[in-house]
Each structure stands twice: as structure tokens, then as C-alpha cells.
Amino acid sequence: MAGEPQADCLFCKIVAGEVPADVVHETETTVAFRDINPQAPTHVLVIPRAHYPDAASLAAAEPGTAADLLAAAGRVAEQEKVTGVGYRIVLNTGSGAGQTVFHAHAHVLAGRGLEWPPG
Ligand code: 5GP
Ligand code: ZN
């Protein structure tokens, strides 16, 4: 069924507590934790507890949870005290765009110069 945990999904295992993560923020529908390979001084991943392969499929199936994801990203930015300097929310979609984990996730990046357009 759509949204159900997938046995072979790393981020479902983090949601279930089967794989450890440095969790910084949680809601009923989302979990946020530090990226294991940070690309900026602040690099937090915000994921829905439900499994969808990417942000667009999450938004199509559960628009409320997609909104929760964006709200949680904003809360993380506040917690990290980066709202003043600015931060970037990135939703890599598809392997051609650099997506490597096919459980929807938003990167929250801040703390260094962020080039535009991104590479
Ligand atoms: P993507 O490349 O799919 O947009 O982002 C996946 C992110 O997950 C990468 O930035 C990668 O460093 C991170 N990542 C991969 N495996 C783990 C893990 O086991 N724990 C944590 N905290 N992050 C992970
Ligand atoms: Zn998953």
C-alpha cells in the first residue's frame, strides 16, 4: 500500500529506529536528522515517516504530509539559527539530479556560501 514502510529502504529503517541517526526534530508525520556526509555546516535531512520515493509522489498522495515536511524544514532552520543568514531546501528528484535514497527527503543546507544556480 502507498506510504507503507519498505523493508529495503534505509530511511524507513531510520524512521523505525533500526538504523541510528542524529535526530534533531520530530513531528507526528516527519523526522529530521543530520546528514551522514554533510555538504555544509548545517545539513539536515527532513523525511516523511511514510514511504514515498520522492517529494512529488509524496505531495500527490499526501499533500498534508508534504506541507508538514516544508514546515518541519523551516523549524529545523530556526533551531539551527540559520534563518537570518538564509538556507536552502533541496529536493533532489531522480538519479540524474543526484537522488540516491528513494524515500522522499528535503535537504536543509546552510552555513556557507550557497551558489546559484546550484551545480
Ligand atoms: P540524495 O542524494 O538522495 O538527495 O540524499 C541522500 C542523502 O542521504 C545524502 O546526502 C547522504 O549523505 C545521506 N545518507 C545516506 N545514508 C545515510 C545514513 O545512513 N545516515 C544519514 N544520516 N544520512 C545518510
Ligand atoms: Zn522508505
Side-chain angles (χ1 to χ4, degrees), residues 78-97:
E78 287 172 8
Q79 272 185 209
E80 296 287 312
K81 300 186 172 25
V82 296
T83 55
V85 292
Y87 60 96
R88 187 167 289 163
I89 300 172
V90 175
L91 301 162
N92 292 330
T93 303
S95 53

Side-chain angles (χ1 to χ4, degrees), residues 28-81:
E28 204 174 302
T29 55
T30 67
V31 181
F33 51 91
R34 296 197 188 282
D35 197 291
I36 205 167
N37 182 24
Q39 301 301 310
T42 290
H43 188 173
V44 174
L45 301 174
V46 187
I47 71 173
R49 292 184 187 275
H51 177 95
Y52 292 94
D54 56 40
S57 56
L58 167 68
E62 295 191 25
T65 306
D68 293 346
L69 193 79
L70 285 179
R75 292 290 299 147
V76 165
E78 287 172 8
Q79 272 185 209
E80 296 287 312
K81 300 186 172 25

